[in-house]
């Protein structure tokens, strides 16, 4: 990324050599991202991040297909970028079917099949959930979408780089990727758009990115995303099994040392790096702040919900009460997490939980 | 560890500076208290979400200060607590003809009550704020005392009369011995990005609108109940569109007798505003409810003290006693102007806060002042 700030100042749309250099760097990044998910290079569109990718996919199809129908199918545990976009479309006269999930946080493909109507135009189901990490049966849903000839989008922000992704095998038409979720820069993302997909762009302008996304390219961000994608692909087979072992060590260690804790989505297929732990009788905000003061950065609910009092819609959808949802912790690991880090959390968390439980009027009664 | 309640203003920021300079381990906490969307009825959800919090700029300022001081900082969302213990009682109080004092409720029930708890939860044994007041433990009484801030002009002890012994024992007021100019100087010297920030005077959640307008928006339709304006003798001299628009002592344009007329009483059940001339605004006796005692355990025997009945008011000598039905009765030596239900009455011995309560009922003025029939 750094040479883009210090040497290669060209605008990728220009004919001159400086511009051509920038364009080359972007296309190089494009091929790296494509390779990570088994797409063709020309099927990758760069944009500002996961949220824009989700918006472009959903609004783009809604707009281009509205003469065919106005029915969209999605789940109750999507990221806000999908959820609020679909809610907005509901206000514009689209109909949305919100598919529930099991207590483990899984969508039943049979429910998607049953929700299909002649006027259905889009199915949008996330690949892996951002809060609890459960992995959805995308391949099965992809087959259903293909048979019904309905566009299929999957928000792959959480799953990319953590589990193998093959957009051909998954039969998705669109797949969202975010830079910073794979150690790339913030403010850069990509949308895979299968060749032949008809989708109306969100931005009007100079027709960048093959008319999919107008606006001068964020060259540095894109180059960073490309490199992150390359490294993520290499780490899939080497790093992720190690991360999964660490995650399991964390959960086992905490369960052994703290009473009354539960792992959400434990029995479902899960991402190797995510752990969502519900701590009974301890308030999530206090847990997060106490851990942060000890140098451990975690979140409660979902990061995007911080500063809001609404319990996480994901935890509500898997049947948790608002109180249970507020007492949940999301711990995310990465290739950079060490065994020492994990043991440190196992060491400090029990004391924090005990202190918070002492303050809980309900705990004393148990 | 001490948790510093940071509002984003100069005072609480300077409190953090002083504690840090004293070598204390500190953590900053800001409270997100109010969200304007709560009074926007029936408007688009997305627009409401865009509206967000009225004090966001202040929270951003607090975060900048914390970052400048290199201290950990967190925002606590206490919107629900604030609405149920401050905003909703504020509106209810206006609708029953009182003039509420929401900042005191906020101190008692939000800032100190919840903050002390939250602080304990994250391992902080004390809470510091930027109030101009002092706390001291008196060995002989075995009690924690609340005293006026040394800067009499800035003193905020009046707003803190509701603090319990437990809360006082966990409270630090680093500005108690300082004057405002000294505080600004410390803030400037410490390079705080907010050292010259203007002071907030308005009630935070009604910013930019009138109280009456806020009450109506919050309470919804039906809060504007028209009624009569009457003289003390009951003669109807005008009409009003809701008692929440009036405050005792407020000048009212109706001149029935050629002399200036004032609101002397608000009668919620009759839905009437009673007006009269200035002498009729002066009373000696009233009762208080929900009292809290700091320097004493309770009022058993009558006590002598100085009583302050609103923020800007010179405390006046009075006797305070408990009536036969258990009510706390305050009797000023001399009649005082516009004793207002809903405001707090705080009792002092010089700088020491004895305790206080909420002004409830103003005694009826005797027909003949010479006959003491109270």
């Amino acid at each position: 990324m750094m040479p883009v700030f210090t040497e290669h100042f060209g605008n990728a749309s220009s004919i001159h050599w400086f511009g051509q250099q920038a364009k080359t760097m972007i296309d190089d990044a494009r091929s790296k991202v494509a390779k990570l998910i088994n797409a063709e290079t020309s099927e990758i569109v760069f944009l500002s991040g996961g949220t824009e990718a989700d918006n472009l996919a959903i609004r783009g199809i809604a707009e281009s297909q509205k003469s065919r129908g106005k029915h969209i199918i999605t789940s109750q545990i999507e990221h806000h970028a999908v959820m609020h976009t679909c809610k907005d479309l509901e206000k514009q006269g689209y109909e949305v079917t919100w598919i529930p999930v099991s207590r483990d946080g899984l969508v039943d493909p049979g429910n998607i099949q049953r929700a299909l109507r002649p006027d259905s135009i889009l199915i949008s189901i996330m690949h892996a959930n951002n809060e609890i990490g459960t992995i959805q049966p995308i391949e099965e849903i992809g087959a259903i979408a293909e048979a019904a000839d309905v566009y299929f989008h999957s928000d792959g922000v959480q799953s990319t780089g953590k589990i193998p992704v093959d957009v051909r095998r998954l039969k998705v038409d669109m797949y969202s990727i975010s830079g910073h979720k794979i150690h790339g820069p913030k403010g850069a993302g990509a949308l895979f758009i299968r060749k032949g997909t008809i989708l109306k762009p969100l931005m009007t302008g100079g027709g960048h990115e093959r008319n999919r996304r107008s606006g001068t390219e964020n060259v540095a961000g894109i180059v960073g995303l490309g490199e992150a994608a390359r490294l993520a692909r290499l780490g899939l087979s080497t790093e992720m099994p190690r991360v999964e072992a660490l995650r399991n060590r964390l959960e086992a260690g905490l369960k052994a040392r703290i009473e009354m804790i539960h792992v959400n989505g434990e029995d479902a297929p899960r991402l190797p790096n995510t752990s969502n732990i519900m701590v009974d009788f301890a308030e999530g905000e206090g847990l997060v702040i106490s851990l942060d003061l000890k140098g451990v950065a975690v979140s409660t609910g979902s990061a995007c919900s911080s500063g809001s009092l609404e319990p996480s819609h994901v935890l509500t959808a898997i049947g948790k009460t608002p109180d249970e949802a507020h007492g949940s912790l999301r711990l995310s690991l990465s290739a950079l997490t060490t065994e020492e880090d994990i043991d440190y959390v196992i060491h400090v968390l029990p004391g924090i939980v005990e202190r918070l439980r002492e303050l809980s009027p309900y705990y004393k009664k148990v | 560890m001490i948790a510093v309640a940071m509002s984003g203003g100069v005072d609480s920021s300077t409190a953090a500076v002083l504690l840090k300079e004293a070598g204390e381990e500190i953590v900053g906490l800001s409270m997100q208290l109010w969200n304007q969307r709560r009074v926007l009825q029936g408007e688009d959800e997305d627009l409401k979400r865009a509206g967000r919090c009225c004090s966001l700029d202040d929270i951003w300022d607090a975060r900048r200060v914390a970052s400048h001081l290199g201290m950990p900082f967190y925002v606590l969302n206490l919107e629900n607590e604030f609405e149920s213990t401050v905003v909703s009682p504020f509106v209810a109080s206006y609708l029953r003809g009182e003039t509420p004092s929401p900042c005191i409720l906020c101190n008692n029930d939000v800032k100190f009550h919840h903050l002390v708890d939250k602080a304990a939860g994250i391992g902080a044994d004390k809470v510091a704020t930027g109030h101009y007041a002092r706390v001291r433990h008196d060995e002989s009484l075995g009690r924690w005392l609340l005293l006026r801030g040394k800067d009499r002009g800035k003193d905020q002890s009046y707003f803190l009369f509701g603090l319990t012994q437990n809360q006082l024992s966990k409270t630090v007021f680093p500005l108690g011995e300082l004057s405002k100019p000294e505080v600004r100087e410390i803030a400037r010297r410490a390079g705080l990005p907010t050292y010259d920030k203007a002071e907030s005077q308005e009630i935070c959640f009604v910013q930019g609108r009138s109280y009456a307008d806020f009450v109506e928006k919050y309470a919804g339709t039906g809060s504007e109940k028209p009624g009569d304006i009457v003289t003390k003798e009951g003669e109807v001299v005008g009409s009003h569109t809701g008692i929440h628009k009036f405050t005792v002592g407020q000048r009212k344009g109706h001149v029935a007798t050629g002399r200036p007329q004032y609101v002397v009483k608000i009668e919620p059940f009759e839905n009437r505003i009673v007006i009269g001339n200035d002498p009729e605004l002066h009373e000696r006796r009233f009762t208080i409810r929900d009292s809290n005692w700091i320097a004493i355990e309770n009022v058993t025997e009558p006590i002598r003290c100085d009583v302050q009945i609103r923020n800007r008011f010179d405390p006046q000598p009075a006797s305070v006693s408990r009536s036969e039905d258990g009510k706390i009765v305050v009797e000023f030596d001399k009649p005082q102007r516009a004793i207002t239900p809903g405001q707090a009455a705080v009792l002092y011995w010089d700088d020491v806060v004895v305790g206080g309560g909420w002004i409830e009922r103003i005694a009826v003025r005797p027909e003949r002042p010479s006959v003491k029939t109270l």
Side-chain angles (χ1 to χ4, degrees):
Chain A
M1 280 176 78
M2 290 317 289
V4 180
F5 291 117
T6 53
E7 291 170 45
H8 306 295
F9 305 109
N11 180 336
S13 306
S14 307
I15 296 168
H16 52 64
W17 178 236
F18 295 125
Q20 291 298 308
Q21 270 182 318
K23 177 85 175 97
T24 306
M25 293 170 92
I26 290 175
D27 288 338
D28 188 37
R30 201 187 305 280
S31 77
K32 289 173 184 167
V33 172
K35 209 165 173 189
L36 178 62
I37 60 171
N38 194 29
E40 283 179 34
T41 303
S42 61
E43 291 174 319
I44 301 297
V45 170
F46 287 119
L47 27 66
S48 66
T51 295
E52 190 187 335
D54 289 341
N55 269 270
L56 175 57
I58 296 167
R59 292 181 194 274
I61 291 295
E63 189 62 35
S64 75
Q65 301 300 307
K66 64 183 175 191
S67 60
R68 234 182 90 191
K70 286 188 155 192
H71 180 236
I72 296 169
I73 299 167
T74 187
S75 85
Q76 291 179 354
I77 61 165
E78 296 298 313
H79 186 273
H80 284 161
V82 169
M83 188 172 92
H84 288 310
T85 302
C86 288
K87 282 191 173 170
D88 188 49
L89 288 173
E90 274 183 328
K91 277 183 232 155
Q92 296 176 30
Y94 288 80
E95 263 187 86
V96 178
T97 300
W98 302 89
I99 304 292
V101 294
S102 69
R103 294 190 76 85
D104 283 325
L106 290 177
V107 170
D108 175 357
N111 284 335
I112 306 266
Q113 181 72 59
R114 285 184 283 279
L116 281 168
R117 311 193 317 210
D119 61 341
S120 300
I121 50 170
L122 173 69
I123 300 168
S124 179
I125 302 289
M126 69 196 330
H127 195 173
N129 182 264
N130 50 311
E131 290 187 42
I132 54 181
T134 50
I135 301 168
Q136 303 301 339
I138 295 301
E139 203 173 335
E140 288 174 61
I141 299 168
I144 292 169
E146 189 181 53
D149 195 22
V150 171
Y151 279 117
F152 181 31
H153 163 248
S154 185
D155 175 351
V157 166
Q158 293 296 325
S159 44
T160 308
K162 286 151 201 155
I163 53 172
V165 175
D166 178 338
V167 290
R168 303 283 164 220
R169 198 169 54 81
L170 295 176
K171 296 189 190 310
V172 292
D173 298 300
M174 290 152 290
Y175 195 82
S176 305
I177 293 170
S178 162
H180 71 274
K181 293 286 175 180
I182 54 171
H183 300 298
K186 290 159 203 68
L191 180 65
F192 156 75
I193 307 173
R194 180 185 297 280
K195 238 184 249 171
T197 302
I198 301 161
L199 148 162
K200 185 161 190 280
L202 297 175
M203 309 276 203
T204 46
H208 303 72
E209 295 291 286
R210 298 163 61 97
N211 276 323
R212 300 289 203 192
R213 205 271 193 178
S214 285
T216 301
E217 298 87 345
N218 169 12
V219 182
I222 290 168
V223 168
L225 169 56
E227 185 59 12
R230 185 182 71 83
L231 294 171
R233 187 168 154 270
L234 295 177
L236 278 175
S237 55
T238 55
E239 297 297 332
M240 284 304 138
R242 193 181 65 80
V243 170
E244 184 162 19
L246 286 178
R247 194 269 316 272
N248 295 344
R249 178 187 181 94
L250 172 71
E251 291 179 349
L254 292 179
K255 278 182 182 171
R257 298 199 55 196
I258 307 172
E259 287 180 323
M260 291 183 282
I261 63 170
H262 321 272
V263 176
N264 287 321
E266 189 170 17
D267 298 325
R270 272 192 299 160
L271 293 177
N273 74 313
T274 307
S275 182
N276 191 292
I277 294 176
M278 217 168 66
V279 186
D280 293 347
F281 308 110
E283 179 232 352
E285 189 177 52
L287 289 171
V288 172
I289 294 177
S290 299
L291 278 172
D292 190 52
L293 288 168
K294 296 271 184 197
V296 183
V298 303
S299 59
T300 178
S302 88
C304 303
S305 306
S306 61
S308 122
L309 290 169
E310 276 91 59
S312 142
H313 66 281
V314 175
L315 298 178
T316 309
I318 63 170
K320 304 300 173 197
T321 65
D323 276 346
E324 289 172 328
H326 282 309
S328 79
L329 280 184
R330 180 172 56 150
L331 298 106
S332 300
L333 288 70
S334 79
L336 305 174
T337 310
T338 65
E339 194 170 299
E340 215 183 353
D341 295 336
I342 295 302
D343 291 347
Y344 179 68
V345 175
I346 296 172
H347 173 68
V348 297
L349 190 55
I352 292 169
V353 170
E354 196 179 331
R355 183 174 70 211
L356 285 161
R357 281 180 174 169
E358 284 304 314
L359 291 165
S360 161
Y362 306 105
Y363 181 61
K364 287 167 193 155
K365 289 183 197 144
V366 179
Chain B
M1 186 166 65
I2 299 177
V4 188
M6 296 178 72
S7 68
V10 185
D11 295 334
S12 55
S13 303
T14 305
V17 170
L18 291 169
L19 291 171
K20 193 181 160 75
E21 285 176 356
E24 296 284 354
E25 191 188 344
I26 51 175
V27 51
L29 299 178
S30 269
M31 290 170 285
Q32 189 173 314
L33 297 177
W34 180 247
N35 201 315
Q36 289 299 2
R37 68 165 181 246
R38 292 182 183 232
V39 284
L40 302 173
Q41 279 151 3
E43 286 163 53
D44 187 293
E45 263 311 308
D46 288 340
L47 296 181
K48 283 195 200 181
R49 285 180 344 120
R52 283 320 240 204
C53 174
C54 63
S55 55
L56 214 48
D57 284 3
D58 293 330
I59 289 177
W60 290 347
D61 279 345
R63 185 179 281 116
R64 282 167 67 210
V65 167
S67 159
H68 179 79
L69 296 176
M71 63 194 279
F73 172 83
Y74 306 98
V75 180
L76 303 176
N77 190 321
L78 291 171
E79 285 176 16
N80 286 345
E81 291 83 350
F82 187 74
E83 178 164 17
S84 63
T85 58
V86 179
V87 180
S88 175
F90 169 86
V91 169
S93 177
Y94 263 119
L95 291 177
R96 58 169 185 268
E98 298 179 349
T99 304
S101 189
C103 300
I104 300 181
L105 283 177
C106 181
N107 279 336
N108 288 357
D109 298 333
V110 181
K111 278 192 191 149
F112 286 90
H113 178 72
H114 289 288
L115 214 55
V116 165
D117 268 9
K118 296 262 183 191
I122 62 168
D125 42 4
K126 293 224 172 197
V127 167
T129 71
H131 284 111
Y132 289 81
R134 289 173 288 172
V135 177
R136 187 176 295 164
H137 188 257
D138 187 295
E139 298 296 335
S140 61
L141 290 172
R143 297 187 72 82
W144 289 89
L145 299 182
L146 174 66
L147 288 83
R148 287 193 188 277
K150 208 163 182 191
D151 181 346
R152 188 65 175 78
K154 282 301 299 175
D155 166 52
Q156 290 168 317
S157 60
Y158 173 79
F159 293 101
L160 298 165
F161 82 88
L163 295 194
T164 63
Q165 287 291 303
N166 179 46
Q167 287 164 348
L168 285 168
S169 75
K170 291 174 178 163
T171 296
V172 185
F173 295 129
L175 309 188
E177 305 286 345
L178 300 171
S179 69
K180 186 76 187 197
E182 287 171 322
V183 167
R184 280 216 191 268
E185 177 54 26
I186 293 166
R188 196 192 56 77
R189 203 189 63 215
L192 294 191
T194 52
Y195 81 93
D196 58 352
K197 189 172 163 177
E199 285 192 37
S200 58
Q201 299 291 354
E202 286 183 298
I203 291 175
C204 63
F205 55 91
V206 287
Q207 267 174 6
R209 59 169 95 204
S210 75
Y211 298 164
D213 180 43
F214 181 87
V215 168
E216 286 153 23
K217 267 252 154 112
Y218 188 86
T221 46
S223 53
E224 284 187 87
K225 240 165 59 187
D228 291 334
I229 297 178
V230 299
T231 64
K232 262 202 148 162
E233 289 70 36
E235 186 195 342
V236 178
V237 291
S239 63
H240 68 81
T241 55
I243 57 170
H244 60 283
K245 294 175 181 171
F246 298 86
T247 295
V248 170
Q250 165 192 349
R251 185 160 169 174
K252 195 69 201 93
H254 293 83
V255 183
T257 59
R259 281 185 294 176
Q261 299 287 294
Y262 300 90
V263 174
V264 297
K265 201 175 170 198
I266 298 169
E267 298 182 330
F269 297 110
E270 295 84 355
N271 194 32
R272 288 195 307 199
I273 302 296
V274 182
I275 58 169
N277 49 36
D278 189 71
E280 287 171 322
L281 263 178
H282 289 70
E283 296 286 353
R284 285 182 57 201
R285 273 172 64 116
F286 62 93
T287 57
I288 57 176
R289 61 174 165 82
D290 298 329
S291 49
N292 179 58
W293 305 108
I294 296 175
I296 58 175
E297 202 168 315
N298 213 327
V299 174
T300 42
E301 296 300 302
I303 56 172
R304 293 286 301 163
C305 54
D306 296 324
V307 177
Q308 183 172 343
I309 54 170
R310 60 183 144 264
N311 182 27
R312 304 252 170 258
F313 183 86
D314 249 348
Q316 297 297 317
S319 297
V320 178
S321 57
R322 191 176 283 276
S323 72
E324 276 170 18
D325 58 355
K327 289 272 183 201
I328 302 293
V329 181
V330 178
E331 181 163 3
F332 280 118
D333 293 358
K334 291 178 188 154
Q336 300 299 324
R337 188 179 187 278
I339 303 170
T340 309
Q343 295 283 296
V346 180
L347 287 54
Y348 287 91
W349 285 327
D350 292 325
D351 279 356
V352 175
V353 176
V354 182
W358 300 94
I359 299 173
E360 187 177 41
R361 195 160 47 85
I362 314 301
V364 179
R365 195 177 154 81
E367 287 302 307
R368 291 191 200 97
S370 57
V371 184
K372 259 197 148 182
T373 51
L374 298 166

